[in-house]
């Protein structure tokens, strides 16, 4: 009986040992399987991360590409605009050069017209007007004065001459080294009065000479005109028709 018990006990121990070995093998397989699954999961996670990273890079690159296309298109328009502007500038330079070639003779003619005007006109403010023309002629020869400025100076001189026609003015000047008070009415009449109020005269533009005034009425009106020009008297009618009247 003891032998049988021992046999049974041995069998049980052997079976338990075998079963334990099987369990260990199973656990080992399970562990290995879990490790493989974990590795697989890690690989999957890594692949997903790489996919997300690549997707993010793709989106960024695509956005950069769109921005680059927009920038390149804008740059193309800017370059085209600059090209057109450069073409316009080149044409303007050619036009300016042609204009300068044509405008310089024009300016010379304008200055010549001013000189003739002063020579043929009533000789009021003669030194001032002559000096102005001389300064204009000097400016035409100066390289540091731009053509536009030269043209502006000439136009300004013409404007001054034009304004003379609409003004009444008095000033002092000389005739044959003698100083007189002059009265200018527009640009058509010019009178003089001696400083001692004794001698009067007017400019006859037909004979290009000074004519002495003998009419007391005309003398009085010359005095009145000078006072009005100096603003020493209110504006009043001046009776100076050709100054040909003489006292009886």
């Amino acid at each position: 009986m003891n032998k049988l018990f021992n046999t049974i006990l041995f069998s049980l121990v052997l079976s338990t040992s075998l079963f334990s070995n099987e369990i260990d093998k199973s656990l080992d397989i399970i562990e290995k399987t879990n490790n493989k699954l974990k590795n697989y999961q890690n690989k999957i996670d890594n692949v997903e991360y790489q996919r997300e990273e690549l997707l993010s890079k793709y989106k960024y690159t695509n956005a950069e590409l769109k921005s680059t296309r927009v920038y390149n298109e804008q740059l193309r328009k800017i370059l085209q605009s600059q090209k057109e502007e450069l073409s316009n500038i080149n044409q303007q330079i050619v036009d300016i050069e042609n204009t300068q070639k044509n405008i310089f003779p024009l300016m010379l003619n304008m200055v010549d017209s001013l000189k003739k005007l002063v020579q043929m006109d009533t000789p009021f403010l003669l030194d001032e007007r002559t000096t102005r023309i001389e300064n204009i002629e000097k400016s035409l020869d100066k390289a540091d004065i731009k053509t536009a400025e030269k043209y502006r100076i000439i136009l300004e001189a013409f404007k001054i001459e034009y304004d003379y026609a609409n003004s009444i003015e008095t000033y002092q000047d000389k005739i044959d080294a003698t100083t007189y008070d002059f009265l200018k009415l527009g640009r058509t009449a010019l009178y003089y009065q001696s400083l001692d109020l004794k001698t009067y005269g007017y400019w006859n533009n037909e004979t290009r000479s000074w004519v002495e005034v003998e009419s007391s009425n005309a003398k009085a009106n010359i005095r009145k005109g000078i006072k009005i020009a100096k603003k020493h008297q209110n504006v009043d009618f001046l009776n100076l028709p050709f100054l040909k009247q003489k006292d009886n």
Side-chain angles (χ1 to χ4, degrees), residues 13 29 31 35 44 59-60 65 68 71 84-85 91 94 162 183 203 214-215 219 239 248:
V13 171
I29 292 171
E31 183 177 0
N35 288 334
I44 291 172
K59 290 180 179 180
Y60 175 78
L65 181 60
T68 301
Y71 174 75
E84 293 174 357
E85 183 66 21
Q91 184 59 47
V94 173
Y162 172 80
L183 173 64
W203 175 259
E214 296 180 6
S215 169
K219 292 178 181 179
N239 185 17
N248 294 327

Side-chain angles (χ1 to χ4, degrees), residues 166-200:
N166 303 308
S167 64
I168 176 173
E169 187 174 353
T170 183
Y171 61 94
Q172 286 191 345
D173 204 344
K174 292 182 179 181
I175 300 177
D176 297 330
T178 301
T179 301
Y180 295 91
D181 285 321
F182 286 84
L183 173 64
K184 179 185 74 68
L185 300 180
R187 64 183 319 120
T188 58
L190 183 63
Y191 312 95
Y192 68 82
Q193 168 188 278
S194 62
L195 299 184
D196 59 6
L197 308 181
K198 292 181 179 180
T199 305
Y200 295 82

